[in-house]
Amino acid sequence: MTLDELDEMEDEEDDRVLHQYRQQRMAEILAAQSKAKYGSVREISAVDYVDEVNKAGEGVWVVLHLYKTGIPLCALINQHLYQLAPKFPATKFLKSISTTCIPNYPDRNLPTFLSTTRER
């Protein structure tokens, strides 16, 4: 085999490997995009809890912040959630006023995070 033929064979191999890598990367990007459907913080009530948390779907992480207006640490955490949600669009970020979601929930337990996922 001549040097020119060897160079051509290496170029073909490089093209094949690059094409394979490109296809794999495209599949990974499409999979990530299909999971990235949230990206914001949504307010829920007790009525919404079952649909939004328990029935969120397989493999969906849900973060719920129970808070109350007037508690400074709750306000601070809500600010951070608004910054985190766009960075993790595959995670469902929810917030709910504690007594709206759970009647008689004590203020001394605030802020409260609940996190869940249903495994595949």
Side-chain angles (χ1 to χ4, degrees), residues 15 44 59 112:
D15 289 345
I44 65 166
T112 301

Side-chain angles (χ1 to χ4, degrees), residues 37-106:
K37 53 185 163 184
Y38 303 109
S40 65
V41 179
R42 294 192 5 241
E43 181 88 28
I44 65 166
S45 66
V47 176
D48 304 322
Y49 184 88
V50 172
D51 288 335
E52 296 292 335
V53 177
N54 295 350
K55 297 180 181 177
E58 289 186 16
V60 175
W61 278 97
V62 178
V63 174
L64 172 62
H65 176 220
L66 297 178
Y67 74 99
K68 190 167 221 171
T69 306
I71 297 178
L73 191 52
C74 290
L76 178 64
I77 288 174
N78 277 336
Q79 289 176 2
H80 287 292
L81 288 179
Y82 281 107
Q83 292 174 353
L84 288 171
K87 293 179 182 179
F88 298 94
T91 300
K92 185 187 277 193
F93 286 90
L94 304 171
K95 67 178 187 170
S96 181
I97 296 174
S98 59
T99 53
T100 301
C101 197
I102 304 170
N104 301 317
Y105 194 79

Side-chain angles (χ1 to χ4, degrees), residues 1-14:
M1 195 178 277
T2 67
L3 282 176
D4 289 338
E5 291 172 336
L6 188 57
D7 281 344
E8 187 176 325
M9 192 169 86
E10 286 177 350
D11 288 345
E12 289 173 3
E13 179 66 18
D14 289 346

